[in-house]
Amino acid sequence: MQFYAITGLVNAVASTLIGIFVYFNKKESINRAFAIFSFSVAFWSYGYFLWQISDSGSGALFWSRVLMAGAIFIPPTFFHFILTLLDRNKEKIKTVIFSYLLFSIFLIFDFTNLFVKGVSPKAGFRFWPEPGIVFHIFLAFWMFYVFYSLFMLYKGYLASTDETRKIQIKYIFLGMFFGFFGGVTNYFLWYNIPILPLGNSLVVLFVVAVAYATLKLKLFNFDFKFVFTQTIMVFIWFFLIVHFLMAKIFYDRMSALFLLGIVILFGIILLKSILKEKSQMDEIIKLNNYKSEFFSIVAHQIKSPLAVVSGYLTMLLENIANADTRKAQEIIFRIEASNKNLMSLVNNLLDFNRFDEGKMIYSFEKLELNELIGEFAPDFQVLAKIKNLDLSVNFSREAIYVRGDKYNLAQVFRNLIDNAIKYTRDGTITISLKKEGDFALAEVADSGMGITKKDSAKLFQKFVRLNKESKVSGSGLGLYICKKIVEAHNGEIWARGKQGGEGSEFFIKLPLYSE
């Protein structure tokens, strides 16, 4: 029965390799979920191989129980992977946890007679496992989770509108279907049904399907230098492990173990150096992307106000020639507004540069927030009124003192209020101040376009503009600079969308002043 031992070994090596490649290449949730599933299949396959080459009943019974430990966790890990692939893991997190807990109960029974009660000769096999009473319950759940997961994958395929995504799901579905079909052929002899486990060789098809989906359709992003090195190292490790297990003489075993230790140590050092190099390259690519985006933003944002100024100057010359002073005055006001936008952009770029170089200078003093906001709030109320917006300020009834840099803190509040006016077409903008324990809490709320929970997490990053199609100008640096200033004051800044999707709320939390 060497054929079945070989199929087990092939499945084990293939599953181990694909699991390691996917996990270490990019540690995202889908990579982790798939790697855990692959390692479950690998664990089952290693046990399968060692069970097939066992030359005693006790050894065969032990390894059959070991292989079942891997088989027990194949359904929940597969279910977890499918939910992650379909972006439904968060909404089904309780179901995922339940599935792991359920199959953990079967693991408790695995090394008892209630699960595998013994081994006996069957269909040419010297030692084939006999099921205990708990095994029947386990197999029912095993089948349910596998087919339910495949059903969900099929529904995901039908619901997807992305053609590349559909092809990815198709190959994963086919690979998993034939892989599980092959694995199921192992269960017939458990119930004395004379069908040999010839389908065990099909288990490797799931590896082939994932490899194709990865290489051709980019299901996972691979760094091939790292993958190639991993492949060589894992093959060497595997060869030495097999040599260690198969060695009959103590000296040979110790030599193989010593050599394995040296090779593993060398492999870890080599892989770490490649990962470090990859990390540095990723950082360089990231910086280059920032650079490209930076120049694109600067070119666009500076060009627009300059074009406006140029156009207005042409109109101004024409109206002066026609002695239309009122029209000329109106044009001058518009030139001034465009110039202010340009100056704001330049100031943001200068502040951004200071933050990145660590050269931002603060002049801290005792500040009263009601007074600070009261100084410029009337200016913004005028701007809001022009857009038919109602801007109100709910000042605190008691004085709120903080330790801060007046210019920079004012810049933070001005930025938030200015954004609220820009991104609100109609409705209200409310600024609120209050004490909350040992902190001052300021809020700027609007009835504008709103933000999602996902967007709020990246809102304060460099060059982020959530609504790039909006006609509202901006560098994508304002909120990043606000965050840096607030953090320099030992405070926090965050945002969230209002319930119903309309409107946003921005919060600033600062420590109260203490002598």
Side-chain angles (χ1 to χ4, degrees):
M1 295 297 174
Q2 290 299 312
F3 167 76
Y4 299 100
I6 292 171
T7 61
L9 187 58
V10 170
N11 293 336
V13 174
S15 303
T16 302
L17 289 176
I18 196 72
I20 290 173
F21 296 163
V22 170
Y23 179 80
F24 284 103
N25 189 70
K26 199 171 185 180
K27 294 184 180 179
E28 295 182 349
S29 57
I30 189 170
N31 295 58
R32 290 193 295 269
F34 180 79
I36 294 170
F37 167 65
S38 292
F39 294 146
S40 296
V41 175
F43 195 91
W44 166 72
S45 300
Y46 284 120
Y48 193 98
F49 166 71
L50 293 168
W51 160 56
Q52 285 292 324
I53 64 172
S54 295
D55 53 9
S56 67
S58 59
L61 177 60
F62 173 78
W63 290 117
S64 65
R65 287 171 171 170
V66 169
L67 74 88
M68 286 311 303
I72 283 170
F73 283 103
I74 288 175
T77 54
F78 179 55
F79 180 61
H80 185 188
F81 166 63
I82 295 304
L83 288 176
T84 308
L85 177 66
L86 300 176
D87 296 322
R88 298 186 62 188
N89 189 34
K90 289 184 179 179
E91 67 178 85
K92 295 278 189 180
I93 186 64
K94 290 183 180 179
T95 310
V96 172
I97 293 172
F98 172 78
S99 67
Y100 279 106
L101 291 175
L102 173 65
F103 284 92
S104 294
I105 294 172
F106 293 122
L107 182 65
I108 295 172
F109 289 98
D110 183 28
F111 280 82
T112 70
N113 291 335
L114 294 172
F115 201 84
V116 181
K117 64 181 181 182
V119 291
S120 63
K122 289 184 183 181
F125 292 92
R126 293 176 61 198
F127 309 109
W128 195 270
E130 295 284 350
I133 190 170
V134 176
F135 184 87
H136 309 313
I137 304 170
F138 155 76
L139 191 59
F141 278 106
W142 195 97
M143 293 292 185
F144 170 77
Y145 268 89
V146 167
F147 284 105
Y148 179 62
S149 300
L150 288 171
F151 173 70
M152 289 186 64
L153 194 58
Y154 177 68
K155 283 182 63 179
Y157 171 81
L158 295 178
S160 179
T161 56
D162 185 332
E163 284 303 315
T164 302
R165 183 73 163 173
K166 290 189 79 163
I167 298 172
Q168 286 177 346
I169 294 175
K170 181 176 76 173
Y171 279 99
I172 295 294
F173 179 86
L174 291 174
M176 296 300 185
F177 178 81
F178 286 108
F180 278 115
F181 174 77
V184 165
T185 61
N186 284 285
Y187 290 123
F188 289 111
L189 286 178
W190 285 70
Y191 292 94
N192 299 315
I193 301 172
I195 297 176
L196 294 174
L198 295 170
N200 197 59
S201 57
L202 297 177
V203 174
V204 77
L205 285 180
F206 100 85
V207 179
V208 175
V210 172
Y212 181 83
T214 297
L215 297 175
K216 296 294 183 181
L217 305 171
K218 297 182 179 179
L219 176 63
F220 307 108
N221 294 316
F222 271 3
D223 180 291
F224 286 98
K225 181 179 178 181
F226 185 63
V227 168
F228 178 75
T229 307
Q230 281 182 316
T231 303
I232 299 299
M233 296 309 304
V234 170
F235 267 118
I236 295 173
W237 294 348
F238 179 76
F239 174 78
L240 291 174
I241 289 171
V242 172
H243 179 62
F244 169 75
L245 293 173
M246 301 296 290
K248 301 295 184 182
I249 304 174
F250 177 78
Y251 174 78
D252 289 343
R253 282 201 169 190
M254 290 299 101
S255 299
L257 187 62
F258 175 76
L259 186 58
L260 177 62
I262 297 295
V263 173
I264 288 176
L265 181 62
F266 172 76
I268 291 172
I269 294 171
L270 180 61
L271 292 174
K272 279 188 174 181
S273 68
I274 294 174
L275 279 175
K276 185 177 180 181
E277 181 185 340
K278 181 177 180 291
S279 176
Q280 291 171 342
M281 286 301 298
D282 288 343
E283 188 64 28
I284 291 171
I285 292 170
K286 188 178 179 182
L287 290 172
N288 282 334
N289 290 338
Y290 274 143
K291 180 182 175 183
S292 299
E293 193 170 2
F294 172 79
F295 282 120
S296 174
I297 289 170
V298 169
H300 175 73
Q301 298 297 335
I302 290 181
K303 181 181 177 181
S304 295
L306 287 177
V308 171
V309 169
S310 177
Y312 281 139
L313 285 173
T314 302
M315 292 172 62
L316 180 61
L317 290 172
E318 291 174 356
N319 281 280
I320 289 175
N322 297 328
D324 189 348
T325 55
R326 180 176 292 181
K327 187 69 175 178
Q329 189 178 35
E330 182 183 335
I331 292 171
I332 289 172
F333 284 139
R334 290 180 180 178
I335 290 174
E336 183 185 19
S338 185
N339 185 61
K340 282 182 178 178
N341 286 336
L342 186 57
M343 286 300 297
S344 176
L345 173 64
V346 171
N347 286 333
N348 276 348
L349 293 174
L350 290 172
D351 286 342
F352 169 69
N353 188 56
R354 291 190 193 104
F355 281 123
D356 266 21
E357 293 183 354
K359 294 180 180 178
M360 196 68 180
I361 299 173
Y362 296 95
S363 179
F364 291 101
E365 58 181 303
K366 186 178 181 181
L367 296 175
E368 208 286 310
L369 287 186
N370 291 291
E371 292 179 3
L372 179 68
I373 293 176
E375 289 180 10
F376 53 77
D379 298 336
F380 285 106
Q381 285 174 326
V382 172
L383 291 175
K385 192 173 183 180
I386 294 171
K387 288 188 65 177
N388 294 318
L389 300 174
D390 179 25
L391 191 154
S392 60
V393 184
N394 297 328
F395 291 106
S396 171
R397 293 183 178 181
E398 56 182 329
I400 302 178
Y401 290 100
V402 297
R403 180 176 177 272
D405 181 295
K406 185 175 182 179
Y407 169 79
N408 284 296
L409 273 186
Q411 182 183 354
V412 172
F413 287 108
R414 284 177 177 274
N415 194 302
L416 295 184
I417 299 169
D418 187 51
N419 281 350
I421 294 172
K422 284 180 180 178
Y423 291 99
T424 304
R425 293 181 180 178
D426 54 70
T428 60
I429 297 166
T430 306
I431 305 162
S432 304
L433 290 170
K434 66 178 182 179
K435 284 184 179 180
E436 194 175 79
D438 295 329
F439 295 90
L441 184 65
E443 177 186 354
V444 179
D446 62 60
S447 57
M449 59 184 65
I451 53 174
T452 65
K453 188 175 181 180
K454 182 180 179 181
D455 287 338
S456 64
K458 60 183 179 182
L459 199 58
F460 297 93
Q461 296 175 7
K462 301 175 185 177
F463 305 118
V464 170
R465 295 193 68 208
L466 299 182
N467 192 354
K468 294 184 179 180
E469 297 179 0
S470 170
K471 294 181 180 179
V472 177
S473 63
S475 62
L477 290 172
L479 291 178
Y480 169 76
I481 291 169
C482 287
K483 184 173 186 289
K484 288 292 184 181
I485 292 172
V486 172
E487 287 177 346
H489 286 73
N490 296 318
E492 298 176 58
I493 183 169
W494 69 94
R496 69 186 181 198
K498 289 182 179 179
Q499 289 184 351
E502 291 187 4
S504 307
E505 296 172 321
F506 284 78
F507 298 90
I508 299 172
K509 193 174 185 180
L510 298 168
L512 293 174
Y513 181 85
S514 59
E515 298 291 346

